Amino acid sequence: YTNSDESDYKADTYNVSLSQTMFGALTTVTLGYSRGFDDIFDNTQSDFKETADHQNYHISLSQVLTKKMLLSLNYDAVTDEGYLQNPYRNVLVLNDPADPDAGFNFNTPENYPNTRTSNALSANLLYYLPYRASVRTNYRYYTDDWDIDAHTVEVGYTHPLRDKWMLELRYRYYTQSDADFYSDVFQYPNQQNFMARDKELSEFSDHTLGFGVSYSLLNDNWGYIDRATLNFKYDHIWFKYDNFTDVTKSDLPEYEFDAGVMQLYFSAWY
């Protein structure tokens, strides 16, 4: 059970999963289900309240192919229903469709469909190298009934340093098409039934390059704790949006930015 409480968004999520190993522990099948209930508010309107429900069905198969190779296949089906948009965001509309130089305005609120069905398939392959290191590769395909198709490819390498240190390098590439009701600029306020200008629904791609390092804190077991590590990870991400323009600049260039993400955390196994 997970609870999230913000000034304008409250979410409760329940999830359960069941795993079964078979064939001498060489095969593992996992079934999972989660259900989420969200309440959406608008800090600028005291009487505004909407709801959204989410369901996720998950199945995965992990198979030991050889003593050095592990394959994992995953499938997720997600259904969303209710208020699925942002209450604060508006779309960009031309002031005069016959005269593009007349400028534009943000006076028209977004309007999304109240249902969304998504499907995702992924495959992960892990190979252990003779010197305790490992390489892994991952591919994921996503599609939904908003006409978004997405592809994710990731490769990683993990290498031990002496007895206590572990180094990880990784690269990830993501690309997606835009939603069928998305547009950077609309001609009219009521141009179509559904209208969106969320950059996450546009056509875009991103590259991630990262590394991680972990340090083992224990030489032997300590009470109920079998193992403990201190971990640091850093990712640098480059985002490029192909049909979402930066309206803060006069020449309206395609929007792009980069970000650095750092994580520092402690892990324990018991």
Side-chain angles (χ1 to χ4, degrees):
Y1 168 74
T2 303
N3 171 262
S4 175
D5 192 344
E6 305 173 33
S7 62
D8 55 2
Y9 208 101
K10 301 182 187 300
D12 295 283
T13 303
Y14 305 84
N15 64 80
V16 61
S17 65
L18 174 68
S19 295
Q20 175 67 49
T21 58
M22 58 192 75
F23 308 124
L26 297 179
T27 303
T28 302
V29 176
T30 301
L31 301 175
Y33 173 77
S34 68
R35 183 73 184 268
F37 304 92
D38 300 350
D39 293 320
I40 303 99
F41 305 92
D42 184 339
N43 285 334
T44 66
Q45 302 180 48
S46 59
D47 59 344
F48 180 93
K49 180 181 179 182
E50 297 286 350
T51 61
D53 295 344
H54 313 278
Q55 296 187 77
N56 185 313
Y57 304 86
H58 172 81
I59 182 171
S60 66
L61 171 69
S62 296
Q63 178 66 47
V64 178
L65 301 178
T66 69
K67 65 179 182 180
K68 295 183 178 180
M69 188 179 298
L70 176 66
L71 174 67
S72 176
L73 302 174
N74 307 274
Y75 170 73
D76 287 274
V78 181
T79 62
D80 304 298
E81 182 176 5
Y83 190 83
L84 306 180
Q85 63 203 59
N86 187 321
Y88 305 112
R89 191 165 43 230
N90 293 347
V91 298
L92 188 65
V93 179
L94 293 176
N95 288 328
D96 184 358
D99 182 11
D101 295 331
F104 46 79
N105 65 77
F106 278 107
N107 299 327
T108 303
E110 287 188 323
N111 187 26
Y112 286 16
N114 60 6
T115 61
R116 185 180 191 180
T117 301
S118 313
N119 294 275
L121 288 166
S122 66
N124 308 279
L125 186 65
L126 179 65
Y127 183 76
Y128 293 94
L129 299 170
Y131 48 93
R132 292 176 52 220
S134 66
V135 293
R136 71 179 187 278
T137 182
N138 167 267
Y139 170 75
R140 182 178 185 266
Y141 172 69
Y142 168 92
T143 185
D144 64 26
D145 58 2
W146 288 3
D147 206 29
I148 294 178
D149 293 307
H151 304 269
T152 307
V153 178
E154 184 174 1
V155 293
Y157 174 75
T158 302
H159 187 87
L161 298 174
R162 299 182 178 178
D163 295 329
K164 289 182 172 292
W165 294 90
M166 190 71 70
L167 176 67
E168 178 186 2
L169 302 173
R170 57 187 173 274
Y171 170 77
R172 176 183 179 272
Y173 173 71
Y174 175 84
T175 181
Q176 76 167 46
S177 61
D178 55 9
D180 56 7
F181 55 92
Y182 167 85
S183 181
D184 185 44
V185 181
F186 288 92
Q187 301 290 314
Y188 308 98
N190 57 349
Q191 180 174 330
Q192 56 197 48
N193 290 337
F194 303 116
M195 304 168 66
R197 196 183 181 268
D198 180 2
K199 67 181 184 299
E200 303 307 318
L201 298 183
S202 71
E203 181 180 346
F204 77 95
S205 61
D206 65 68
H207 301 263
T208 302
L209 188 62
F211 74 91
V213 60
S214 65
Y215 179 75
S216 180
L217 299 174
L218 299 178
N219 292 322
D220 300 305
N221 296 350
W222 183 62
Y224 291 102
I225 299 179
D226 300 324
R227 180 185 170 208
T229 61
L230 186 63
N231 311 273
F232 174 79
K233 292 185 178 182
Y234 177 80
D235 289 300
H236 200 87
I237 313 171
W238 293 265
F239 296 91
K240 186 178 187 302
Y241 297 86
D242 299 328
N243 58 350
F244 181 87
T245 55
D246 187 353
V247 296
T248 64
K249 299 180 180 178
S250 59
D251 56 346
L252 299 179
E254 292 178 347
Y255 187 62
E256 57 184 355
F257 71 98
D258 62 284
V261 182
M262 291 182 289
Q263 301 178 63
L264 179 63
Y265 59 95
F266 170 79
S267 299
W269 291 259
Y270 60 92

